[in-house]
Amino acid sequence: MTLIPLFMVIPLGSAFIVVLLGRFKETVSDVLATAATLMLAILPFALIIPLSQEGIFVYRMGRWIPPWGINLVLDGLSLLMLIIINLVAFLAILYSVSYMKKFTAKSTYYGLFLLMLAGMNGVVLSGDFFNLFVFLEIAAIASYALVAFGVEAEELEASFKYMVMGSVASVLILFSIGLIYSLTGSLNMAHVGTILQGQKGNLISFSMILFLAGFGLKAAIMPFHAWLPDAHPSAPAPISAMLSGVLIKALGVYAILRIFFNVFGMNIQLSWILMILGALSMVGGGLLALKQNDFKRLLAYSSISQIGLIMLGVGCGNYWGILGALFHLFNHASFKALLFLNSGAVEYSTGTRELKKMGGLSKAMPFTGATSAIGSLSISGIPPLNGFWSKLFIIMGLIYAGRYVLGVITILVSVLTLAYYLKVQRYAFFGKLGEGLEKVKEAPPLMCASMVALAIICIGAGIFFYPIMKIILEPAVRVLQEGVGYSSLVLGG
Amino acid sequence: MKNGMTLIVRVIARFVSPMIMVFGIYIILHGHLSPGGGFPGGVIIASAFVLLTLSFGKEIAYQKLKESTASVMESAGALIFLILATLGIVFGGWFFLNFLPKGEPFRLISAGFIPLCNIGIGLKVGGGIFAVFLTLILFRLLEKGEGD
Amino acid sequence: MMFFLCFVLFLIGLYCVLIKKNLLKIVMGIVIMEYSVNLFLITVGYKAGAVAPIVTEGAGKVSFVDPLPQALVITAIVIGIATLALIVALCMRVYDRYKTFDITKIRRLRG
């Protein structure tokens, strides 16, 4: 219980200490950042058992009682997100220790990274709208700076685009928060939920639309996706892994789930909107990914497609759909982070991101080749890897809900996914060694270690899907299925 | 611009900037009693440095207060704030607990740890805003150096 | 009426972001949007005949305007400053690389 604020204290404190001490010696900042994220990666697992006994933790900041004071809420969904965020962050930091050597100002990089981490942890823990907005902005501003970290022309352009879109999204979210405050006179999510229950009106619908547009922009759902394929490939590889694997989920998908399920309450129109947007971005992202020749850009389009799949599963609203969507959230974080780290390793060794200039790399880089094969098979849904189970659950959910057409589309998109990942494997890793690649060496050991760890997570979550489902995913599904009952849990506790 | 502005501006700036700084410190210290607090006070203090920079030219101001000093101030301010918040766990068991005695209302020493928080925020904001300003003008300086 | 004017200001900012070709004008559009939302939040807390929420010694019972939106607005302004500083620095870097502020000429990334 007293551990909950540590999720903000550790990254924030270590961010500033790293910047202060990193001036003197670079290894100090390496060690500090790794130690801090390692602690954070272990911490959520310590909370699993107490949470399963209590059901929900409400942490009152400064001993102020919920509707008046600021509170942090930890329930099943938040815990799932915390596990995903901190695990991927630890492996990305481990990877950056070697990867970021070619950049200057490594301590600044760690500082920004840890600030982004603090922001994301804050978003998933905060129990009121305004703190959610503040933490979201902390994470977003750190990520704008990180995308432009290389200060090359393309990176600056991508970061500018990302920043304009992100700022517009933030303004829309703030506008909607203002509307909610003027309607209810409260900012606490649980309190707003109790006041809004059963009410209907144009202003409520308007604020829902604003939230959907704002968080949809952050999550890069299809009509709002334009910034993602530029921003994610331009960042350094560990940051791409964080952005694609975690940030769009914590800032976009999590916020949509929390606000629409637990505060406003789901209804049939909303569920159709989520399903249609999800299906649109799933198909569109997949088709656009197919014609890309840039390794990281292909992965970025694939992220749009997979986020669409998650929204589709959430939208169908029954047990299997939500379970599959949340499991896919976890799985996508693991394999997309793995694939981005692979692309970073390839770029580190060969100096190119063009798929057509590569070839035969699995002989020269055995670890990268093997882990990327696992990642590609897993994202395409080949049993017994983890992507198979989550896609199966989503399709089952769609069929139980009677949406047969969407189920068939999901299966077709799954085949499409397999097609473009086979393209990656064929051009980059199989076949004859490409020209000028004779001297390519495997990436440094720390980079390999974090890639292997992610590959093990992919295989492990596939084989042991049942315990993961029971221990981590089911509490999260229960939170979403309770719907607006969340309010009474928070205010009563 | 390279060597600052005219004599009149420099004399006035030298005369006025300590007063601006004192005013900023006043705003920070009275943050719990009157409008103001860490953020406005910090911005006022930073504006005193900005005034000096503009009137004396960036080279001289850069010798007086380096960008690194400003960013150290910024990090230190944030750490003070964070440590105060964490001390709440140590003394009372809750994060952000106001663990100091509240004192008598409307006196300078009152409201527990809020004045201390304001000082931390003031350091952070003052350092941060001035670091931003310096970074922006120094970038122009470097760019010009490359162009010549 | 005030709410309507805030919305008009918001739309002006949005127009500026969507239509203008100059990087700095786009930045100005974002800032206008932010300020319109801040103005909206302040007007939400307005109460006719109320005074600013400052408790002074020996004052009688008076009605205050809602202080919470004002606290929100100052936080939003701080965030706005951070974003603005970053985006202006970014614009300078972009100009350094491309030697232009025209968004139609800054297209090195494919669609």
Side-chain angles (χ1 to χ4, degrees), chain A residues 130 137 151 153-154 156-157 159-160 163 171-172 178 181 297, chain C residues 10 23 41 66 68 72 79 86-87 90 97-98 106-108 110:
Chain A
F130 197 71
E137 281 295 277
V151 294
E154 288 87 2
L156 293 169
E157 185 190 335
S159 176
F160 187 81
M163 206 155 172
V171 169
L172 289 176
Y181 181 73
R297 214 174 162 78
Chain C
F10 182 83
L23 287 189
L41 278 171
D66 191 351
L68 187 67
L72 303 190
I79 293 170
L86 188 57
I87 205 165
L90 202 64
R97 292 277 186 265
Y98 289 86
I106 303 174
R107 298 193 69 91
R108 221 169 274 181
R110 290 143 299 163

PDB file of all heavy atoms in Angstrom, chain A residues 130 137 151 153-154 156-157 159-160 163 171-172 178 181 297, chain C residues 10 23 41 66 68 72 79 86-87 90 97-98 106-108 110:
ATOM      1  N   PHE A 130      -7.568  15.666 -13.731  1.00  0.00           N
ATOM      2  CA  PHE A 130      -6.544  16.666 -13.985  1.00  0.00           C
ATOM      3  C   PHE A 130      -5.149  16.093 -13.802  1.00  0.00           C
ATOM      4  O   PHE A 130      -4.242  16.407 -14.565  1.00  0.00           O
ATOM      5  CB  PHE A 130      -6.747  17.899 -13.110  1.00  0.00           C
ATOM      6  CG  PHE A 130      -5.981  19.058 -13.649  1.00  0.00           C
ATOM      7  CD1 PHE A 130      -6.391  19.663 -14.814  1.00  0.00           C
ATOM      8  CD2 PHE A 130      -4.845  19.503 -13.044  1.00  0.00           C
ATOM      9  CE1 PHE A 130      -5.672  20.704 -15.354  1.00  0.00           C
ATOM     10  CE2 PHE A 130      -4.119  20.548 -13.572  1.00  0.00           C
ATOM     11  CZ  PHE A 130      -4.540  21.150 -14.729  1.00  0.00           C
ATOM     12  N   GLU A 137       0.894  14.945 -19.975  1.00  0.00           N
ATOM     13  CA  GLU A 137       1.724  15.961 -20.605  1.00  0.00           C
ATOM     14  C   GLU A 137       3.197  15.742 -20.285  1.00  0.00           C
ATOM     15  O   GLU A 137       4.050  15.958 -21.140  1.00  0.00           O
ATOM     16  CB  GLU A 137       1.288  17.345 -20.132  1.00  0.00           C
ATOM     17  CG  GLU A 137       0.068  17.848 -20.821  1.00  0.00           C
ATOM     18  CD  GLU A 137       0.326  18.069 -22.287  1.00  0.00           C
ATOM     19  OE1 GLU A 137       0.846  19.119 -22.655  1.00  0.00           O
ATOM     20  OE2 GLU A 137       0.017  17.173 -23.080  1.00  0.00           O
ATOM     21  N   VAL A 151      18.706  14.981 -33.531  1.00  0.00           N
ATOM     22  CA  VAL A 151      18.745  16.283 -34.217  1.00  0.00           C
ATOM     23  C   VAL A 151      19.184  16.214 -35.682  1.00  0.00           C
ATOM     24  O   VAL A 151      19.850  17.095 -36.178  1.00  0.00           O
ATOM     25  CB  VAL A 151      19.571  17.355 -33.462  1.00  0.00           C
ATOM     26  CG1 VAL A 151      18.902  17.697 -32.168  1.00  0.00           C
ATOM     27  CG2 VAL A 151      20.991  16.953 -33.239  1.00  0.00           C
ATOM     28  N   ALA A 153      17.782  16.096 -39.749  1.00  0.00           N
ATOM     29  CA  ALA A 153      16.670  16.795 -40.375  1.00  0.00           C
ATOM     30  C   ALA A 153      15.369  16.012 -40.289  1.00  0.00           C
ATOM     31  O   ALA A 153      14.325  16.558 -39.924  1.00  0.00           O
ATOM     32  CB  ALA A 153      17.017  17.076 -41.831  1.00  0.00           C
ATOM     33  N   GLU A 154      15.420  14.708 -40.596  1.00  0.00           N
ATOM     34  CA  GLU A 154      14.189  13.912 -40.593  1.00  0.00           C
ATOM     35  C   GLU A 154      13.594  13.821 -39.194  1.00  0.00           C
ATOM     36  O   GLU A 154      12.386  13.892 -39.005  1.00  0.00           O
ATOM     37  CB  GLU A 154      14.449  12.490 -41.094  1.00  0.00           C
ATOM     38  CG  GLU A 154      14.713  12.377 -42.566  1.00  0.00           C
ATOM     39  CD  GLU A 154      16.167  12.575 -42.885  1.00  0.00           C
ATOM     40  OE1 GLU A 154      16.963  12.761 -41.938  1.00  0.00           O
ATOM     41  OE2 GLU A 154      16.514  12.568 -44.074  1.00  0.00           O
ATOM     42  N   LEU A 156      13.893  15.942 -36.732  1.00  0.00           N
ATOM     43  CA  LEU A 156      13.277  17.199 -36.326  1.00  0.00           C
ATOM     44  C   LEU A 156      11.914  17.363 -36.964  1.00  0.00           C
ATOM     45  O   LEU A 156      10.954  17.770 -36.321  1.00  0.00           O
ATOM     46  CB  LEU A 156      14.182  18.365 -36.718  1.00  0.00           C
ATOM     47  CG  LEU A 156      15.498  18.414 -35.970  1.00  0.00           C
ATOM     48  CD1 LEU A 156      16.423  19.414 -36.605  1.00  0.00           C
ATOM     49  CD2 LEU A 156      15.263  18.780 -34.534  1.00  0.00           C
ATOM     50  N   GLU A 157      11.846  17.006 -38.262  1.00  0.00           N
ATOM     51  CA  GLU A 157      10.569  17.139 -38.960  1.00  0.00           C
ATOM     52  C   GLU A 157       9.508  16.241 -38.326  1.00  0.00           C
ATOM     53  O   GLU A 157       8.391  16.673 -38.047  1.00  0.00           O
ATOM     54  CB  GLU A 157      10.774  16.757 -40.430  1.00  0.00           C
ATOM     55  CG  GLU A 157       9.567  16.972 -41.274  1.00  0.00           C
ATOM     56  CD  GLU A 157       9.747  16.360 -42.648  1.00  0.00           C
ATOM     57  OE1 GLU A 157      10.903  16.206 -43.075  1.00  0.00           O
ATOM     58  OE2 GLU A 157       8.737  16.043 -43.266  1.00  0.00           O
ATOM     59  N   SER A 159       9.485  15.056 -35.293  1.00  0.00           N
ATOM     60  CA  SER A 159       9.147  15.515 -33.963  1.00  0.00           C
ATOM     61  C   SER A 159       8.212  16.710 -34.024  1.00  0.00           C
ATOM     62  O   SER A 159       7.288  16.824 -33.218  1.00  0.00           O
ATOM     63  CB  SER A 159      10.413  15.864 -33.206  1.00  0.00           C
ATOM     64  OG  SER A 159      10.105  16.387 -31.964  1.00  0.00           O
ATOM     65  N   PHE A 160       8.427  17.600 -35.007  1.00  0.00           N
ATOM     66  CA  PHE A 160       7.535  18.758 -35.126  1.00  0.00           C
ATOM     67  C   PHE A 160       6.113  18.307 -35.417  1.00  0.00           C
ATOM     68  O   PHE A 160       5.155  18.780 -34.806  1.00  0.00           O
ATOM     69  CB  PHE A 160       8.034  19.705 -36.223  1.00  0.00           C
ATOM     70  CG  PHE A 160       7.261  20.981 -36.294  1.00  0.00           C
ATOM     71  CD1 PHE A 160       7.538  22.005 -35.416  1.00  0.00           C
ATOM     72  CD2 PHE A 160       6.241  21.143 -37.202  1.00  0.00           C
ATOM     73  CE1 PHE A 160       6.806  23.175 -35.456  1.00  0.00           C
ATOM     74  CE2 PHE A 160       5.517  22.300 -37.241  1.00  0.00           C
ATOM     75  CZ  PHE A 160       5.801  23.326 -36.368  1.00  0.00           C
ATOM     76  N   MET A 163       4.638  16.788 -32.400  1.00  0.00           N
ATOM     77  CA  MET A 163       4.368  17.756 -31.360  1.00  0.00           C
ATOM     78  C   MET A 163       3.110  18.549 -31.665  1.00  0.00           C
ATOM     79  O   MET A 163       2.311  18.816 -30.759  1.00  0.00           O
ATOM     80  CB  MET A 163       5.551  18.699 -31.299  1.00  0.00           C
ATOM     81  CG  MET A 163       5.713  19.300 -29.990  1.00  0.00           C
ATOM     82  SD  MET A 163       7.401  19.717 -29.893  1.00  0.00           S
ATOM     83  CE  MET A 163       7.399  20.614 -28.451  1.00  0.00           C
ATOM     84  N   VAL A 171      -4.865  19.835 -25.991  1.00  0.00           N
ATOM     85  CA  VAL A 171      -5.822  20.925 -25.840  1.00  0.00           C
ATOM     86  C   VAL A 171      -7.244  20.387 -25.845  1.00  0.00           C
ATOM     87  O   VAL A 171      -8.087  20.798 -25.036  1.00  0.00           O
ATOM     88  CB  VAL A 171      -5.610  21.964 -26.957  1.00  0.00           C
ATOM     89  CG1 VAL A 171      -6.743  22.939 -26.986  1.00  0.00           C
ATOM     90  CG2 VAL A 171      -4.318  22.693 -26.746  1.00  0.00           C
ATOM     91  N   LEU A 172      -7.521  19.413 -26.734  1.00  0.00           N
ATOM     92  CA  LEU A 172      -8.866  18.831 -26.777  1.00  0.00           C
ATOM     93  C   LEU A 172      -9.191  18.158 -25.449  1.00  0.00           C
ATOM     94  O   LEU A 172     -10.296  18.294 -24.916  1.00  0.00           O
ATOM     95  CB  LEU A 172      -8.953  17.793 -27.903  1.00  0.00           C
ATOM     96  CG  LEU A 172      -8.935  18.329 -29.324  1.00  0.00           C
ATOM     97  CD1 LEU A 172      -8.940  17.187 -30.311  1.00  0.00           C
ATOM     98  CD2 LEU A 172     -10.129  19.208 -29.571  1.00  0.00           C
ATOM     99  N   GLY A 178     -12.463  20.574 -18.805  1.00  0.00           N
ATOM    100  CA  GLY A 178     -13.167  21.766 -18.372  1.00  0.00           C
ATOM    101  C   GLY A 178     -14.673  21.594 -18.473  1.00  0.00           C
ATOM    102  O   GLY A 178     -15.420  21.974 -17.559  1.00  0.00           O
ATOM    103  N   TYR A 181     -15.867  19.449 -15.694  1.00  0.00           N
ATOM    104  CA  TYR A 181     -15.879  20.157 -14.426  1.00  0.00           C
ATOM    105  C   TYR A 181     -17.078  21.094 -14.357  1.00  0.00           C
ATOM    106  O   TYR A 181     -17.731  21.209 -13.316  1.00  0.00           O
ATOM    107  CB  TYR A 181     -14.580  20.940 -14.236  1.00  0.00           C
ATOM    108  CG  TYR A 181     -14.542  21.656 -12.925  1.00  0.00           C
ATOM    109  CD1 TYR A 181     -14.366  20.955 -11.751  1.00  0.00           C
ATOM    110  CD2 TYR A 181     -14.719  23.031 -12.846  1.00  0.00           C
ATOM    111  CE1 TYR A 181     -14.366  21.587 -10.537  1.00  0.00           C
ATOM    112  CE2 TYR A 181     -14.714  23.675 -11.638  1.00  0.00           C
ATOM    113  CZ  TYR A 181     -14.540  22.953 -10.488  1.00  0.00           C
ATOM    114  OH  TYR A 181     -14.549  23.586  -9.280  1.00  0.00           O
ATOM    115  N   ARG A 297       9.677   1.725 -40.315  1.00  0.00           N
ATOM    116  CA  ARG A 297       8.408   2.292 -40.748  1.00  0.00           C
ATOM    117  C   ARG A 297       7.342   1.205 -40.882  1.00  0.00           C
ATOM    118  O   ARG A 297       6.177   1.399 -40.532  1.00  0.00           O
ATOM    119  CB  ARG A 297       8.624   2.987 -42.083  1.00  0.00           C
ATOM    120  CG  ARG A 297       7.793   4.195 -42.277  1.00  0.00           C
ATOM    121  CD  ARG A 297       8.201   4.880 -43.558  1.00  0.00           C
ATOM    122  NE  ARG A 297       7.160   5.777 -43.951  1.00  0.00           N
ATOM    123  CZ  ARG A 297       6.965   6.961 -43.402  1.00  0.00           C
ATOM    124  NH1 ARG A 297       7.744   7.394 -42.459  1.00  0.00           N
ATOM    125  NH2 ARG A 297       5.982   7.727 -43.804  1.00  0.00           N
TER     126      ARG A 297
ATOM    127  N   PHE C  10     -11.044  29.216 -30.048  1.00  0.00           N
ATOM    128  CA  PHE C  10     -10.523  27.870 -30.257  1.00  0.00           C
ATOM    129  C   PHE C  10     -10.489  27.526 -31.740  1.00  0.00           C
ATOM    130  O   PHE C  10      -9.500  27.007 -32.260  1.00  0.00           O
ATOM    131  CB  PHE C  10     -11.417  26.891 -29.497  1.00  0.00           C
ATOM    132  CG  PHE C  10     -10.986  25.468 -29.569  1.00  0.00           C
ATOM    133  CD1 PHE C  10     -10.013  24.993 -28.720  1.00  0.00           C
ATOM    134  CD2 PHE C  10     -11.554  24.596 -30.473  1.00  0.00           C
ATOM    135  CE1 PHE C  10      -9.608  23.684 -28.775  1.00  0.00           C
ATOM    136  CE2 PHE C  10     -11.162  23.288 -30.543  1.00  0.00           C
ATOM    137  CZ  PHE C  10     -10.182  22.829 -29.692  1.00  0.00           C
ATOM    138  N   LEU C  23       5.831  27.555 -40.124  1.00  0.00           N
ATOM    139  CA  LEU C  23       5.969  26.824 -38.870  1.00  0.00           C
ATOM    140  C   LEU C  23       5.583  27.680 -37.669  1.00  0.00           C
ATOM    141  O   LEU C  23       4.850  27.233 -36.784  1.00  0.00           O
ATOM    142  CB  LEU C  23       7.430  26.395 -38.669  1.00  0.00           C
ATOM    143  CG  LEU C  23       7.998  25.267 -39.503  1.00  0.00           C
ATOM    144  CD1 LEU C  23       9.350  24.897 -38.972  1.00  0.00           C
ATOM    145  CD2 LEU C  23       7.096  24.081 -39.448  1.00  0.00           C
ATOM    146  N   LEU C  41     -11.752  27.707 -18.954  1.00  0.00           N
ATOM    147  CA  LEU C  41     -11.706  27.189 -17.586  1.00  0.00           C
ATOM    148  C   LEU C  41     -11.956  28.304 -16.578  1.00  0.00           C
ATOM    149  O   LEU C  41     -12.672  28.103 -15.588  1.00  0.00           O
ATOM    150  CB  LEU C  41     -10.339  26.555 -17.316  1.00  0.00           C
ATOM    151  CG  LEU C  41     -10.177  25.133 -17.813  1.00  0.00           C
ATOM    152  CD1 LEU C  41      -8.744  24.703 -17.695  1.00  0.00           C
ATOM    153  CD2 LEU C  41     -11.040  24.203 -17.005  1.00  0.00           C
ATOM    154  N   ASP C  66     -14.882  30.389  -7.852  1.00  0.00           N
ATOM    155  CA  ASP C  66     -14.356  29.038  -7.649  1.00  0.00           C
ATOM    156  C   ASP C  66     -12.835  29.041  -7.837  1.00  0.00           C
ATOM    157  O   ASP C  66     -12.349  29.363  -8.922  1.00  0.00           O
ATOM    158  CB  ASP C  66     -15.032  28.114  -8.669  1.00  0.00           C
ATOM    159  CG  ASP C  66     -14.766  26.675  -8.358  1.00  0.00           C
ATOM    160  OD1 ASP C  66     -13.933  26.424  -7.475  1.00  0.00           O
ATOM    161  OD2 ASP C  66     -15.386  25.809  -8.996  1.00  0.00           O
ATOM    162  N   LEU C  68     -10.723  26.488  -7.842  1.00  0.00           N
ATOM    163  CA  LEU C  68     -10.130  25.297  -8.446  1.00  0.00           C
ATOM    164  C   LEU C  68      -9.744  25.500  -9.915  1.00  0.00           C
ATOM    165  O   LEU C  68      -8.626  25.189 -10.303  1.00  0.00           O
ATOM    166  CB  LEU C  68     -11.072  24.106  -8.283  1.00  0.00           C
ATOM    167  CG  LEU C  68     -10.476  22.778  -8.719  1.00  0.00           C
ATOM    168  CD1 LEU C  68      -9.343  22.385  -7.802  1.00  0.00           C
ATOM    169  CD2 LEU C  68     -11.522  21.688  -8.716  1.00  0.00           C
ATOM    170  N   LEU C  72      -6.137  25.073 -11.845  1.00  0.00           N
ATOM    171  CA  LEU C  72      -5.941  24.267 -13.059  1.00  0.00           C
ATOM    172  C   LEU C  72      -5.286  25.095 -14.146  1.00  0.00           C
ATOM    173  O   LEU C  72      -4.395  24.629 -14.851  1.00  0.00           O
ATOM    174  CB  LEU C  72      -7.280  23.739 -13.584  1.00  0.00           C
ATOM    175  CG  LEU C  72      -8.143  22.900 -12.679  1.00  0.00           C
ATOM    176  CD1 LEU C  72      -9.262  22.292 -13.478  1.00  0.00           C
ATOM    177  CD2 LEU C  72      -7.344  21.832 -12.011  1.00  0.00           C
ATOM    178  N   ILE C  79       2.467  24.038 -18.138  1.00  0.00           N
ATOM    179  CA  ILE C  79       2.660  23.003 -19.151  1.00  0.00           C
ATOM    180  C   ILE C  79       2.803  23.640 -20.529  1.00  0.00           C
ATOM    181  O   ILE C  79       3.657  23.261 -21.338  1.00  0.00           O
ATOM    182  CB  ILE C  79       1.483  22.011 -19.132  1.00  0.00           C
ATOM    183  CG1 ILE C  79       1.498  21.233 -17.829  1.00  0.00           C
ATOM    184  CG2 ILE C  79       1.551  21.061 -20.299  1.00  0.00           C
ATOM    185  CD1 ILE C  79       0.263  20.414 -17.630  1.00  0.00           C
ATOM    186  N   LEU C  86       9.950  24.078 -25.915  1.00  0.00           N
ATOM    187  CA  LEU C  86      10.476  22.956 -26.694  1.00  0.00           C
ATOM    188  C   LEU C  86      10.195  23.145 -28.179  1.00  0.00           C
ATOM    189  O   LEU C  86      11.064  22.916 -29.031  1.00  0.00           O
ATOM    190  CB  LEU C  86       9.836  21.669 -26.173  1.00  0.00           C
ATOM    191  CG  LEU C  86      10.393  20.374 -26.720  1.00  0.00           C
ATOM    192  CD1 LEU C  86      11.877  20.315 -26.456  1.00  0.00           C
ATOM    193  CD2 LEU C  86       9.725  19.214 -26.043  1.00  0.00           C
ATOM    194  N   ILE C  87       8.973  23.604 -28.489  1.00  0.00           N
ATOM    195  CA  ILE C  87       8.584  23.673 -29.897  1.00  0.00           C
ATOM    196  C   ILE C  87       9.326  24.812 -30.594  1.00  0.00           C
ATOM    197  O   ILE C  87       9.713  24.696 -31.766  1.00  0.00           O
ATOM    198  CB  ILE C  87       7.049  23.781 -30.017  1.00  0.00           C
ATOM    199  CG1 ILE C  87       6.570  23.257 -31.367  1.00  0.00           C
ATOM    200  CG2 ILE C  87       6.532  25.161 -29.832  1.00  0.00           C
ATOM    201  CD1 ILE C  87       5.112  23.012 -31.413  1.00  0.00           C
ATOM    202  N   LEU C  90      12.734  23.642 -31.288  1.00  0.00           N
ATOM    203  CA  LEU C  90      12.662  22.709 -32.413  1.00  0.00           C
ATOM    204  C   LEU C  90      12.569  23.461 -33.734  1.00  0.00           C
ATOM    205  O   LEU C  90      13.228  23.088 -34.719  1.00  0.00           O
ATOM    206  CB  LEU C  90      11.427  21.830 -32.208  1.00  0.00           C
ATOM    207  CG  LEU C  90      11.406  20.516 -32.910  1.00  0.00           C
ATOM    208  CD1 LEU C  90      12.515  19.661 -32.376  1.00  0.00           C
ATOM    209  CD2 LEU C  90      10.087  19.843 -32.641  1.00  0.00           C
ATOM    210  N   ARG C  97      18.429  23.368 -40.262  1.00  0.00           N
ATOM    211  CA  ARG C  97      18.639  22.247 -41.181  1.00  0.00           C
ATOM    212  C   ARG C  97      18.080  22.510 -42.576  1.00  0.00           C
ATOM    213  O   ARG C  97      18.678  22.154 -43.571  1.00  0.00           O
ATOM    214  CB  ARG C  97      17.987  20.983 -40.633  1.00  0.00           C
ATOM    215  CG  ARG C  97      18.629  20.423 -39.402  1.00  0.00           C
ATOM    216  CD  ARG C  97      19.830  19.560 -39.763  1.00  0.00           C
ATOM    217  NE  ARG C  97      20.345  18.917 -38.559  1.00  0.00           N
ATOM    218  CZ  ARG C  97      21.343  19.399 -37.832  1.00  0.00           C
ATOM    219  NH1 ARG C  97      21.945  20.500 -38.176  1.00  0.00           N
ATOM    220  NH2 ARG C  97      21.744  18.764 -36.746  1.00  0.00           N
ATOM    221  N   TYR C  98      16.870  23.105 -42.640  1.00  0.00           N
ATOM    222  CA  TYR C  98      16.190  23.216 -43.931  1.00  0.00           C
ATOM    223  C   TYR C  98      16.303  24.604 -44.533  1.00  0.00           C
ATOM    224  O   TYR C  98      15.934  24.803 -45.682  1.00  0.00           O
ATOM    225  CB  TYR C  98      14.703  22.883 -43.779  1.00  0.00           C
ATOM    226  CG  TYR C  98      14.393  21.429 -43.530  1.00  0.00           C
ATOM    227  CD1 TYR C  98      14.401  20.919 -42.253  1.00  0.00           C
ATOM    228  CD2 TYR C  98      14.056  20.584 -44.571  1.00  0.00           C
ATOM    229  CE1 TYR C  98      14.098  19.588 -42.009  1.00  0.00           C
ATOM    230  CE2 TYR C  98      13.747  19.261 -44.342  1.00  0.00           C
ATOM    231  CZ  TYR C  98      13.775  18.767 -43.059  1.00  0.00           C
ATOM    232  OH  TYR C  98      13.461  17.465 -42.832  1.00  0.00           O
ATOM    233  N   ILE C 106       9.304  21.411 -46.235  1.00  0.00           N
ATOM    234  CA  ILE C 106       9.926  20.520 -45.251  1.00  0.00           C
ATOM    235  C   ILE C 106       9.281  19.147 -45.391  1.00  0.00           C
ATOM    236  O   ILE C 106       8.406  18.772 -44.640  1.00  0.00           O
ATOM    237  CB  ILE C 106       9.744  21.085 -43.832  1.00  0.00           C
ATOM    238  CG1 ILE C 106      10.320  22.481 -43.773  1.00  0.00           C
ATOM    239  CG2 ILE C 106      10.429  20.227 -42.791  1.00  0.00           C
ATOM    240  CD1 ILE C 106      10.071  23.175 -42.490  1.00  0.00           C
ATOM    241  N   ARG C 107       9.668  18.435 -46.394  1.00  0.00           N
ATOM    242  CA  ARG C 107       9.026  17.134 -46.638  1.00  0.00           C
ATOM    243  C   ARG C 107      10.076  16.105 -46.999  1.00  0.00           C
ATOM    244  O   ARG C 107      10.109  15.598 -48.097  1.00  0.00           O
ATOM    245  CB  ARG C 107       8.037  17.227 -47.794  1.00  0.00           C
ATOM    246  CG  ARG C 107       6.902  18.164 -47.589  1.00  0.00           C
ATOM    247  CD  ARG C 107       5.867  17.915 -48.641  1.00  0.00           C
ATOM    248  NE  ARG C 107       5.253  16.634 -48.421  1.00  0.00           N
ATOM    249  CZ  ARG C 107       4.166  16.474 -47.676  1.00  0.00           C
ATOM    250  NH1 ARG C 107       3.602  17.492 -47.104  1.00  0.00           N
ATOM    251  NH2 ARG C 107       3.652  15.289 -47.531  1.00  0.00           N
ATOM    252  N   ARG C 108      10.939  15.792 -46.063  1.00  0.00           N
ATOM    253  CA  ARG C 108      11.920  14.770 -46.402  1.00  0.00           C
ATOM    254  C   ARG C 108      11.378  13.373 -46.083  1.00  0.00           C
ATOM    255  O   ARG C 108      11.884  12.387 -46.570  1.00  0.00           O
ATOM    256  CB  ARG C 108      13.209  15.033 -45.639  1.00  0.00           C
ATOM    257  CG  ARG C 108      14.416  14.804 -46.508  1.00  0.00           C
ATOM    258  CD  ARG C 108      15.668  15.315 -45.868  1.00  0.00           C
ATOM    259  NE  ARG C 108      15.906  16.710 -46.128  1.00  0.00           N
ATOM    260  CZ  ARG C 108      16.980  17.354 -45.674  1.00  0.00           C
ATOM    261  NH1 ARG C 108      17.863  16.712 -44.947  1.00  0.00           N
ATOM    262  NH2 ARG C 108      17.166  18.625 -45.939  1.00  0.00           N
ATOM    263  N   ARG C 110       8.651  10.427 -46.323  1.00  0.00           N
ATOM    264  CA  ARG C 110       7.620  10.061 -47.278  1.00  0.00           C
ATOM    265  C   ARG C 110       6.279   9.926 -46.558  1.00  0.00           C
ATOM    266  O   ARG C 110       6.202   9.360 -45.481  1.00  0.00           O
ATOM    267  CB  ARG C 110       7.972   8.742 -47.949  1.00  0.00           C
ATOM    268  CG  ARG C 110       9.123   8.832 -48.892  1.00  0.00           C
ATOM    269  CD  ARG C 110       9.955   7.578 -48.814  1.00  0.00           C
ATOM    270  NE  ARG C 110      10.486   7.390 -47.479  1.00  0.00           N
ATOM    271  CZ  ARG C 110      10.961   6.267 -47.037  1.00  0.00           C
ATOM    272  NH1 ARG C 110      10.937   5.214 -47.788  1.00  0.00           N
ATOM    273  NH2 ARG C 110      11.444   6.176 -45.817  1.00  0.00           N
TER     274      ARG C 110
END
